[in-house]
Amino acid sequence: MPEGPSIVILKELVAPFAGKEIIAVEGDAKIDQERLENQAVKSFESWGKHFLISLEGFTIRIHFLLFGSYLINERKASKPKLSLFFKEGEINFYACAIKVLEGDINSHYDWSGDVMNEKWDSKKAKKKLKEIPNKMICDALLEQEIFSGVGNIIKNEVLYRVRVHPKSLVGKIPSRKMTEIIEEAQKYSFDFLNWKKKNELKKHWLAHTKKTCLRCNLPIIKEYTGVKKRRSFYCENCQKFYE
């Protein structure tokens, strides 16, 4: 599943189509495709893992789920979920969920919850975390209403960097340490973005999919943690367990 930084990259790649008219639409998406034709794209936006195509009076929301992908000015052999054609080229989306959001896009999204948005509000994130004291931090970091854009890779890398065990309870983590987690979630998201653009993301992983702790030279534990049962990679020695 693409994480927030990957959607930001997509937004940057399709920027040349902003303001351009959609001249044709194809695909298996269960939406009124004719409604998109002859519409000029007002803007491309991202909110966490959602890619948004803003048109007059409505927005197309694309969620890439686990295996979604896209191609610009080229196609796969398989039929796209949605293809948008412009005079200058085309955008093709595959294996994704597509939904129409009516009205003003700002009525659908709280931009202050997106860790990569200029309106990100870390204080609001901390307030929301206080409302879920019994949730494991590994689950809390994946709550898109709190940390929109943070996915499993970012979760694992953030918790390793701040030395917090993924099964720690939110309410037991000291306030200063929670602030550190919040700040690192944003910082690492932008690091992720820069490394992915350079095609060197994996070489910067310290914990995700690793076998040995770089600090302790002890085994990294791989475990499916929390209610969400997502993969966690952590060191039992240097990541403190707040329980």
Side-chain angles (χ1 to χ4, degrees):
M1 178 186 294
E3 303 192 24
S6 297
I7 305 303
V8 171
I9 289 174
L10 169 57
K11 182 175 67 172
E12 294 175 354
L13 290 174
V14 299
F17 294 109
K20 307 299 182 182
E21 182 180 320
I22 300 170
I23 60 174
V25 182
E26 292 180 2
D28 292 332
K30 300 295 190 294
I31 61 173
D32 182 0
Q33 297 185 16
E34 291 185 5
R35 188 181 180 190
L36 279 63
E37 293 182 0
N38 304 316
Q39 281 259 20
V41 175
K42 293 177 65 177
S43 65
F44 295 105
E45 307 290 345
S46 65
W47 183 84
K49 301 175 183 180
H50 294 180
F51 178 62
L52 307 167
I53 306 170
S54 184
L55 304 166
E56 187 62 41
F58 65 102
T59 296
I60 303 299
R61 186 193 76 185
I62 297 176
H63 193 307
F64 289 96
L65 306 173
L66 288 176
F67 304 109
S69 62
Y70 64 87
L71 286 174
I72 301 169
N73 296 331
E74 57 180 314
R75 295 190 187 190
K76 296 182 179 182
S78 58
K79 188 173 182 180
K81 190 79 171 183
L82 182 68
S83 293
L84 303 178
F85 299 93
F86 304 82
K87 287 182 180 179
E88 302 80 4
E90 63 188 79
I91 312 172
N92 299 293
F93 301 98
Y94 301 87
C96 54
I98 299 176
K99 183 177 181 180
V100 174
L101 305 178
E102 300 290 348
D104 184 357
I105 191 175
N106 294 305
S107 67
H108 293 278
Y109 290 100
D110 177 5
W111 304 105
S112 67
D114 184 339
V115 297
M116 303 197 72
N117 192 281
E118 61 182 11
K119 295 183 179 179
W120 159 251
D121 189 336
S122 59
K123 292 181 180 178
K124 187 178 288 188
K126 193 167 188 178
K127 182 179 179 181
K128 290 178 180 178
L129 287 168
K130 288 181 179 179
E131 296 171 357
I132 51 171
N134 295 319
K135 184 163 292 208
M136 291 181 186
I137 190 61
C138 60
D139 283 329
L141 274 168
L142 297 177
E143 288 293 338
Q144 295 303 291
E145 293 302 319
I146 305 176
F147 295 101
S148 177
V150 170
N152 210 46
I153 295 172
I154 297 175
K155 175 205 80 178
N156 285 324
E157 292 298 301
V158 165
L159 292 178
Y160 183 78
R161 282 164 166 76
V162 300
R163 301 183 181 229
V164 173
H165 195 290
K167 292 194 286 187
S168 297
L169 297 181
V170 169
K172 299 297 184 181
I173 299 173
S175 178
R176 187 174 297 178
K177 180 59 71 172
M178 187 61 76
T179 297
E180 188 180 350
I181 291 172
I182 294 169
E183 290 176 349
E184 186 63 31
Q186 184 190 37
K187 178 183 178 298
Y188 187 81
S189 293
F190 281 97
D191 287 341
F192 184 123
L193 175 65
N194 293 329
W195 293 328
K196 192 165 182 69
K197 285 181 177 180
K198 297 176 182 177
N199 199 30
E200 59 180 37
L201 175 62
K202 290 185 179 181
K203 83 174 189 179
H204 292 280
W205 288 350
L206 302 181
H208 189 71
T209 71
K210 298 300 181 181
K211 304 292 186 183
T212 305
C213 175
L214 296 174
R215 292 189 288 250
C216 308
N217 198 32
L218 294 171
I220 285 281
I221 306 298
K222 174 187 173 182
E223 184 180 355
Y224 290 84
T225 61
V227 174
K228 298 181 184 296
K229 297 299 180 185
R230 299 295 302 278
R231 290 189 305 168
S232 286
F233 297 88
Y234 62 93
C235 175
E236 289 185 308
N237 187 58
C238 64
Q239 289 179 251
K240 187 170 181 179
F241 193 178
Y242 298 94
E243 58 180 328

